[in-house]
Amino acid sequence: MSSSQPFLASSPLSQLHSGGVLRKSRFTYKHLSQLSLSSTTCPLRVIAHIDLDAFYAQCEMVRLNVPEDQPLAVQQWQGLIAINYPARKFGMNRHITITEAKKLCPNLIMQHVATWKEGDEKWAYHKDAFAHIATHKVSLDPYRLESRRILACIKETLPAPALQKVEKASIDEVFLDLSANIHSILLEQYPELSGPPPYDDPTENLPRPPTTALDWNTDALVDLDNTETEDDDPDWDDIAMQIGSEIVREVRAAIRERLKYTCSAGIAHNKMIAKLGSAHKKPNQQTIVRNRAIQQFLGGFKFTKIRNLGGKLGDQVVSTFGTDQVTELLEVSIEQLKFKLGDDTGSWVYQIIRGEEYSEVNSRTQIKSMLSAKSFRPSINTFEQAVRWLRIFAADIFSRLVEEGVLENKRRPKTMNLHHRQGGQMRSRQAPIPSGRSIDEALLFEISKTLLGQVIVDGRAWPCANISLSVGGFEDGPIGNRGIGGFLVKGDEAKAMRPTSRDVENQDSVLESERAGKRRKVDEGGIQKFFGKRDSSRGEHDDEFGADQEAPVLLHQSSSVGDHEASIEKNEGREMQNQNDEEHGLGIDPDTRGNDETISTNALSSYMPSHQASIETYLCTKCNTPLPTSNKAEHEDWHFAKDLQDVDRPTAVDSSSTKPPLAAPNGGGSKKPATVGAKRGPKKPGGATEGKGVEKGQKRLVFGR
C-alpha cells in the first residue's frame, strides 16, 4: 500500500533553519517504536471508524437490486426502522407513520423486515407480515449475514493479521487500529527512520519529514485550531494520518466494488474522535481530524453527542453547569468538575472534552450471547401458545449458532436463560446446556420448555406479555480431540499391519541370535562342586537354577535312558509356552530366558537326605518321568492341555532349539526362569512358589515334603 505523496529524498540542507541548526521533529524514536506496537498512548497513533450508510435500507436495496437513487424505507409492523438517503431528501425520518411517509414520497418502496411465522422452521419475507404481529416475529438474520460479509471483506483488504487490528463495534460499524500498518509503510517510504537513534537514545527527536506539503485527496479535512496554520510544515503525525486516510479509502472502495455497499469513515487519533468523524459527513465520505484540529472539531459539538455523555451523566452535567456545549464546558476548571461530579468522573469529563481518550481497539469480534424475544400484543394465555414461540426462538438461535461454528465445534454456549413477563412481574430461569451432547434445535427447544415449565410451576404465568430466550457463556471448542474410533484401525489398514510368516521367522531368528550373544559363563564353583565333576559336553549354558530362578524347584529323578526324550519334550513344551505368551502379550523378556539344561539327578540322589527317597512316586507313561503320586492328576492335566495345544497349533520343534522349553508341572524339565528381583508371584503348579534369588553360580535343591 503506497502513499499518494511521492517519496522525496531528504536533504540535510532542506532540514536546516536559517541559522544552520538542524530541524527536529517534536516526536521521538520512542514514539516511533510505540507506533509499531499499537500503543494507546502513542501520539502518532491512527484509528479509523467505518460506518455503513443506512445499513438496513442498503441491505434491502442490494437484495432487491433497485437503483441507488430509488427512495426506500424498511418497515417493521407499523413503523419505520431505516430510511435511505434518497428518501431523506423528502423530509422523512423514522418517527413518522407509514401513511405520512407515503404522502411525502408517493414512489417510496416500503419493505417489511423478514419474519418468523408461527409454525415455520425458517425466516422469510412475507408481504402481509405487518398485519400479523400476533403470529410473526422479526428476524434480523439477513442483516447479520451481510454484516459478516462486509467484515470479511475489510479483513481481506488489510494486510496480514500481524499488522491489522479490527473491532466489530456493532452490526454496521467497525473500528480499525492502523498504527502497526502505518509504521511499516513509514519505514518503507522514509528509510532514514530505520536506523538506530543517535547515541542509542530512544528519547532523541526524529528528523523532520522531508515533505513540506501533503495532498490529502479526501472528502472532508477538518480545519486546524485557531493557533495553527496550514503554512506550518507537517510533522510525522500528519504523515501518519495521511497514510491512514489512504488505507481507509482503499477499504471503502473494496466494499463498494465487491459488495455494492457505501460507507462513511472517520480517521483520528483515538476511537472517540474517529466515531464522531465518521458521522460528520455522510453518506459515502470520510473525515480526517488531525491532532492539530481536535479543538476546532469538538468545538462545534454538544458534549451530549460524545459516547457515555449522552445519558444520565450528560443530563447531570447539563443541569450542574447549565450548558451542553463543549466550548463552554472547556472553561470549567478540573477542580470544579471534581468537586461537582467526583474525582474520577470529573477527571474523565475534563479529558474527554479535550479529545483525550485511550481505549484500545479490541480485535476480538466474537459474540458473547444471543437473544431471541417477542412482545405479545395481545398477550398469550396458554402453555401451547408459548411453546409454539419457543420453537421459533430455538430455531432462530440455532441458525445463528450454526454461523458461529457450533456444528464444527468451534464455539458453543454453556447456559440458556428464559425471561417471562406477566403483568409487571419479570421471572427468569437458567439451565446449563449439556456439554456431552451435540447442540441442535431439538436440544434448545427441550431445555426452553423445561425452563418455561419451571416458571409456570412457581406461580401465575398468564396472561404473558413477553418471553425472551438467550444463550451465553460461549467458549471455544476443543481442538484435536478424537473419538475412540480414531484410535482403531479397520479393514485393509488392519490387514496391512498384521505380521506375515516371514516377519515372524525373521523376528525369531533375531531374538535367538540376541540370546546366543548374551549367554554368560557360569563358574565351576557353588553347589555344583559337591556333586562331582560337571559334564563338559553340556557347554557353557545358563543355569536355570541360578540367579534367574526365584522359586525352589523339585527335581525329578529320571533314568539315563529317558533323559534325552524328556529334554526334547521339555523343549517342545517351552517353545509352545513362549509362543502362547507372545500371542497374549505377556511381554517376557527374551534375555531372562535361560537355555535348557538337563541335569541328571541320579548323581544327586546319593547326596540327598534319605527321607527324600521315601516319597511315593509313579512313572508317567507319556514322558517316562517319575513324579510324586500327589501330583499325578495335575501332571495328566498338563499333558491333556498340551495335546490340545498341539492339535490347534502343531509346531515342529527341534531338540536343539535355543528357546527355553515349557516346563511341565513338577516334571518334564526345569521351570521357566523369572526376572531377578521380581515380586513374589502366584503359586506355581506342583506346589512351587517364587522366592528370593540366589547367588551367581548356585542352584537350588528341592527337598521332600
Side-chain angles (χ1 to χ4, degrees):
M1 192 172 295
S2 60
S3 171
S4 62
Q5 178 64 31
F7 168 71
L8 300 177
S10 59
S11 170
L13 296 179
S14 65
Q15 298 190 29
L16 295 177
H17 285 297
S18 57
V21 180
L22 185 66
R23 296 187 304 164
K24 292 284 188 178
S25 167
R26 61 190 179 95
F27 302 103
T28 66
Y29 283 88
K30 180 180 179 180
H31 295 150
L32 184 64
S33 177
Q34 290 177 334
L35 183 67
S36 65
L37 302 176
S38 301
S39 172
T40 58
T41 58
C42 177
L44 297 174
R45 184 188 190 209
V46 178
I47 304 297
H49 180 260
I50 297 179
D51 187 14
L52 276 296
D53 300 321
F55 180 54
Y56 290 178
Q58 273 204 93
C59 289
E60 299 301 340
M61 293 177 67
V62 171
R63 184 180 68 85
L64 298 173
N65 195 26
V66 300
E68 293 185 358
D69 58 351
Q70 169 64 50
L72 182 143
V74 179
Q75 177 183 356
Q76 180 175 317
W77 313 133
Q78 298 300 321
L80 302 178
I81 61 172
I83 302 171
N84 69 357
Y85 285 91
R88 296 183 189 186
K89 296 178 180 179
F90 292 86
M92 286 187 288
N93 58 62
R94 290 182 296 177
H95 304 291
I96 64 176
T97 64
I98 304 298
T99 303
E100 293 173 337
K102 283 291 188 181
K103 290 181 179 179
L104 292 174
C105 182
N107 64 335
L108 177 68
I109 296 179
M110 303 289 294
Q111 176 60 55
H112 198 280
V113 297
T115 57
W116 291 85
K117 184 180 179 181
E118 186 178 12
D120 288 353
E121 297 182 356
K122 177 67 177 176
W123 55 264
Y125 285 93
H126 300 91
K127 293 182 179 181
D128 57 346
F130 64 91
H132 299 87
I133 188 173
T135 57
H136 286 243
K137 176 193 172 301
V138 170
S139 174
L140 300 181
D141 284 359
Y143 311 135
R144 295 190 186 100
L145 293 173
E146 291 302 294
S147 177
R148 289 177 180 270
R149 294 179 61 204
I150 293 170
L151 181 62
C153 179
I154 293 174
K155 291 183 176 181
E156 292 171 1
T157 307
L158 293 173
L163 296 179
Q164 67 171 251
K165 291 187 70 174
V166 181
E167 175 185 343
K168 182 179 179 180
S170 71
I171 195 172
D172 64 345
E173 56 181 334
V174 174
F175 282 108
L176 310 177
D177 189 337
L178 306 173
S179 302
N181 190 11
I182 291 172
H183 177 267
S184 65
I185 297 175
L186 279 175
L187 297 185
E188 179 183 347
Q189 295 184 353
Y190 301 94
E192 61 267 29
L193 299 179
S194 302
Y199 317 110
D200 290 329
D201 184 3
T203 61
E204 281 286 321
N205 293 80
L206 296 167
R208 292 283 294 193
T211 307
T212 57
L214 295 174
D215 180 13
W216 292 98
N217 187 27
T218 189
D219 303 294
L221 183 65
V222 176
D223 295 335
L224 298 176
D225 297 341
N226 296 331
T227 58
E228 304 284 345
T229 65
E230 295 289 354
D231 295 334
D232 297 333
D233 290 341
D235 208 338
W236 290 113
D237 59 338
D238 297 320
I239 302 292
M241 201 73 68
Q242 191 253 355
I243 295 175
S245 70
E246 293 181 354
I247 296 174
V248 174
R249 188 177 297 108
E250 291 187 12
V251 171
R252 292 174 52 233
I255 297 173
R256 174 74 164 166
E257 178 181 354
R258 301 178 192 176
L259 304 177
K260 311 302 181 186
Y261 291 98
T262 65
C263 53
S264 300
I267 300 98
H269 174 62
N270 55 44
K271 293 172 69 174
M272 183 265 291
I273 300 176
K275 183 174 176 60
L276 293 175
S278 65
H280 184 59
K281 296 286 186 179
K282 290 177 78 74
N284 198 25
Q285 299 186 61
Q286 66 183 47
T287 300
I288 300 176
V289 185
R290 293 168 288 178
N291 292 347
R292 295 184 291 161
I294 290 177
Q295 290 304 315
Q296 176 69 22
F297 179 67
L298 292 179
F301 281 94
K302 295 180 178 180
F303 59 75
T304 53
K305 297 293 184 181
I306 298 176
R307 185 181 181 185
N308 297 326
L309 266 178
K312 294 182 178 180
L313 177 58
D315 295 339
Q316 180 185 356
V317 175
V318 171
S319 61
T320 301
F321 298 99
T323 181
D324 61 357
Q325 297 294 320
V326 171
T327 53
E328 295 180 4
L329 195 61
L330 286 172
E331 300 176 0
V332 181
S333 66
I334 188 173
E335 289 77 13
Q336 289 178 290
L337 290 171
K338 288 183 177 181
F339 179 76
K340 297 289 186 179
L341 305 175
D343 289 347
D344 294 339
T345 304
S347 298
W348 180 82
V349 172
Y350 181 85
Q351 293 177 349
I352 205 73
I353 61 176
R354 287 166 172 77
E356 300 176 13
E357 192 262 345
Y358 304 101
S359 61
E360 183 180 6
V361 173
N362 185 2
S363 57
R364 182 178 177 86
T365 59
Q366 295 176 329
I367 62 175
K368 298 179 181 179
S369 63
M370 293 180 180
L371 172 71
S372 186
K374 172 69 177 178
S375 294
F376 304 112
R377 292 184 296 237
S379 300
I380 59 176
N381 296 282
T382 65
F383 177 76
E384 290 72 19
Q385 286 180 293
V387 166
R388 286 197 293 268
W389 284 109
L390 289 180
R391 186 178 297 278
I392 292 178
F393 296 163
D396 182 17
I397 292 177
F398 179 69
S399 65
R400 290 147 62 185
L401 287 174
V402 171
E403 299 172 16
E404 197 67 17
V406 69
L407 295 181
E408 297 81 12
N409 204 28
K410 294 179 180 178
R411 300 188 74 216
R412 61 178 289 144
K414 294 190 294 185
T415 59
M416 173 179 285
N417 294 271
L418 183 139
H419 298 272
H420 174 282
R421 189 174 76 237
Q422 189 273 328
Q425 184 179 13
M426 176 69 75
R427 298 174 184 171
S428 302
R429 291 293 180 271
Q430 184 183 84
I433 298 176
S435 58
R437 291 183 57 182
S438 299
I439 295 181
D440 54 21
E441 184 178 331
L443 175 62
L444 299 179
F445 178 56
E446 176 185 337
I447 298 175
S448 65
K449 281 201 305 181
T450 302
L451 295 177
L452 179 61
Q454 294 175 3
V455 171
I456 295 174
V457 169
D458 286 346
R460 184 179 178 185
W462 317 110
C464 175
N466 177 276
I467 294 179
S468 66
L469 191 68
S470 64
V471 294
F474 278 82
E475 60 182 359
D476 295 333
I479 299 175
N481 282 8
R482 295 186 298 170
I484 191 172
F487 296 93
L488 305 176
V489 291
K490 302 176 181 179
D492 296 338
E493 186 178 358
K495 293 179 180 179
M497 297 177 63
R498 185 177 301 169
T500 62
S501 58
R502 178 178 297 180
D503 295 335
V504 174
E505 294 175 359
N506 293 338
Q507 183 179 5
D508 290 345
S509 62
V510 171
L511 293 176
E512 292 173 3
S513 61
E514 289 180 354
R515 284 194 295 271
K518 293 181 180 180
R519 295 170 182 170
R520 54 188 174 82
K521 183 176 180 180
V522 181
D523 293 337
E524 289 293 335
I527 198 171
Q528 291 288 345
K529 63 185 179 180
F530 297 102
F531 303 140
K533 188 176 179 179
R534 185 171 181 174
D535 186 0
S536 59
S537 64
R538 289 185 294 180
E540 297 178 352
H541 291 215
D542 286 349
D543 191 347
E544 293 200 38
F545 300 95
D548 290 344
Q549 182 71 19
E550 294 188 2
V553 181
L554 178 64
L555 297 179
H556 67 274
Q557 297 182 5
S558 62
S559 64
S560 59
V561 178
D563 284 346
H564 182 65
E565 295 179 359
S567 177
I568 294 177
E569 184 136 356
K570 287 181 290 182
N571 281 325
E572 182 179 357
R574 182 72 59 86
E575 176 77 17
M576 298 302 296
Q577 179 64 40
N578 289 339
Q579 292 179 4
N580 195 43
D581 290 345
E582 292 174 3
E583 285 184 3
H584 293 280
L586 299 181
I588 300 174
D589 186 356
D591 291 342
T592 64
R593 301 171 183 159
N595 293 315
D596 181 54
E597 182 177 6
T598 304
I599 301 177
S600 176
T601 58
N602 292 332
L604 293 177
S605 60
S606 60
Y607 295 94
M608 290 184 179
S610 60
H611 64 81
Q612 292 188 20
S614 64
I615 299 177
E616 295 183 2
T617 62
Y618 88 103
L619 182 65
C620 177
T621 58
K622 293 185 178 180
C623 62
N624 295 324
T625 303
L627 295 169
T629 306
S630 60
N631 293 338
K632 178 180 179 181
E634 184 177 359
H635 185 74
E636 291 178 350
D637 289 341
W638 179 85
H639 276 295
F640 180 74
K642 180 179 175 300
D643 293 339
L644 290 178
Q645 187 181 50
D646 293 341
V647 172
D648 293 338
R649 189 175 173 182
T651 305
V653 181
D654 189 86
S655 60
S656 60
S657 173
T658 59
K659 287 189 178 183
L662 176 64
N666 293 303
S670 55
K671 292 293 180 182
K672 181 172 61 178
T675 305
V676 177
K679 295 182 179 180
R680 184 177 300 273
K683 188 173 182 179
K684 292 188 177 182
T689 57
E690 294 182 358
K692 297 182 179 178
V694 296
E695 294 181 2
K696 180 178 179 181
Q698 293 184 349
K699 297 182 179 179
R700 290 191 179 276
L701 295 178
V702 180
F703 300 95
R705 302 177 185 178

